[in-house]
Amino acid sequence: MQGALEPPAPAKAGPGTRASAVTARDLARATATRRRRSASLKLWAGAVCTLLVVVPVALAQVLPLPGAGDQDLSRRRLAPLTDGHLFGTDQLGRDVLSRVLHGGQVSLTVGVLAVVVSGLIGIVAGAAAGYYGRWVDAVVSRLLEAQMSLPLLMMLLLVVALFGPSVTVITCVIAIAQWPEVARLTRSLVLVEREKPYVAAAQVLGLPRIAILARHVIPNIVRQASLVVLLLLAQAVLLESALSYLGAGPQRPFATWGRIISDGQDYITTSWWLVTLPGLVIVLLVVGVNLLGDGLRDRTRRRTTEGSR
């Protein structure tokens, strides 16, 4: 019988073909198989965690819940699962679940708009720096270094203090704070793409450089760059929540996640749900988005590796 360490014999046609030494168990233990399973597990877990937060937030207006601002002082600080209040009530008798879902609409809106704007700025700036080089690359690189050297949260607080804590200002501030990460990745991807044969062929055909960049180079790297934009969504939500917690977020009547936690921190020893449950919602969304982005990145990387072989 062929030993486990003996290399498999070459396949022969006919009834005398010997069985391969590679068994199904060996294939299951292979590195590629483990990575494929890990990517699938991340995708499923990330999608489930993200949908558990995003779907109720999106349907907050149609769910049978009390208004986010409806007060009832006779029902102050009810524990979760009491009198139909799934997350309990706060110090003013407002339903915590309703406030979390309606506040999530503001937080997610700011986060999504911020990552879309930062993604557009980062892809355009990074692609121009990587493709044109020279002074364009120098200018973009110096801007990246200058912004990344500044303390992020302090810069956000300074800008919000100067221009006011409106939704528009906070969205633009977070977008400007996040574009360097997208630009760095896009620049490195474009540096690789511009050396490929199809770019040289387009140049021989006489296509303008801007047309080559817009029609051929960017479409080939936008999928990988968009994965970074997805991962930045979790960071954008955390930044907005941090600003709201510090009092620099969207002002009332907006009930953002950071303000909900800030309002309930004085009662954390007696009414733990006022801080814990909104915090768990934020954690669930951030973990879900990160797992989803990691899974998509692993799958894209595997397909790229298989396609290059």
Side-chain angles (χ1 to χ4, degrees):
M1 185 175 180
Q2 188 174 356
L5 299 179
E6 183 180 350
K12 298 180 182 179
T17 303
R18 299 179 60 184
S20 173
V22 180
T23 63
R25 186 176 181 180
D26 295 330
L27 292 176
R29 293 180 175 179
T31 302
T33 305
R34 292 200 306 268
R35 289 178 178 176
R36 188 181 301 110
R37 291 178 177 176
S38 176
S40 300
L41 180 61
K42 289 179 181 179
L43 283 175
W44 279 104
V48 170
C49 293
T50 304
L51 291 176
L52 283 176
V53 177
V54 173
V55 172
V57 168
L59 300 177
Q61 301 294 342
V62 299
L63 292 176
L65 295 172
D70 295 347
Q71 301 181 11
D72 187 355
L73 297 181
S74 63
R75 295 175 174 270
R76 292 180 297 175
R77 293 192 288 167
L78 294 180
L81 303 177
T82 303
D83 293 342
H85 298 284
L86 186 61
F87 280 14
T89 59
D90 63 2
Q91 65 275 16
L92 296 178
R94 296 171 295 188
D95 187 76
V96 176
L97 178 60
S98 179
R99 284 175 55 80
V100 168
L101 296 184
H102 285 84
Q105 293 181 340
V106 180
S107 299
L108 286 178
T109 300
V110 171
V112 171
L113 291 177
V115 297
V116 169
V117 174
S118 64
L120 291 176
I121 296 175
I123 290 175
V124 172
Y131 187 75
Y132 290 102
R134 298 185 180 180
W135 65 269
V136 179
D137 189 14
V139 171
V140 174
S141 298
R142 298 296 84 76
L143 289 175
L144 290 173
E145 294 173 358
Q147 181 167 338
M148 296 184 69
S149 65
L150 298 174
L152 179 58
L153 189 57
M154 295 300 296
M155 181 185 68
L156 296 180
L157 291 174
L158 177 61
V159 175
V160 171
L162 292 176
F163 297 98
S166 64
V167 174
T168 304
V169 171
I170 293 175
T171 301
C172 295
V173 167
I174 296 177
I176 294 174
Q178 290 184 325
W179 77 272
E181 298 186 31
V182 184
R184 291 176 60 190
L185 176 65
T186 304
R187 176 182 175 274
S188 62
L189 294 174
V190 171
L191 286 174
V192 176
E193 288 293 321
R194 74 176 186 179
E195 303 298 330
K196 292 187 176 180
Y198 74 88
V199 176
Q203 293 173 349
V204 171
L205 292 175
L207 292 180
R209 301 182 69 184
I210 184 65
I212 298 174
L213 179 61
R215 298 179 184 177
H216 301 285
V217 177
I218 291 181
N220 286 332
I221 58 96
V222 70
R223 177 180 297 181
Q224 298 178 2
S226 62
L227 295 180
V228 178
V229 175
L230 176 61
L231 292 173
L232 289 178
L233 176 60
Q235 182 182 0
V237 172
L238 288 176
L239 288 175
E240 189 279 330
S241 300
L243 290 175
S244 297
Y245 177 81
L246 296 175
Q251 299 302 301
R252 303 181 190 278
F254 298 112
T256 61
W257 285 338
R259 176 170 291 109
I260 294 174
I261 295 177
S262 178
D263 292 341
Q265 66 178 349
D266 294 335
Y267 305 92
I268 190 172
T269 57
T270 56
S271 304
W272 56 267
W273 58 89
L274 298 182
V275 175
T276 305
L277 295 181
L280 289 177
V281 172
I282 298 176
V283 171
L284 189 63
L285 177 65
V286 171
V287 171
V289 171
N290 284 328
L291 287 176
L292 189 60
D294 287 343
L296 290 173
R297 181 179 57 187
D298 293 343
R299 176 168 294 185
T300 302
R301 184 180 301 170
R302 189 181 70 249
R303 289 178 178 176
T304 303
T305 303
E306 292 176 355
S308 62
R309 291 177 181 176

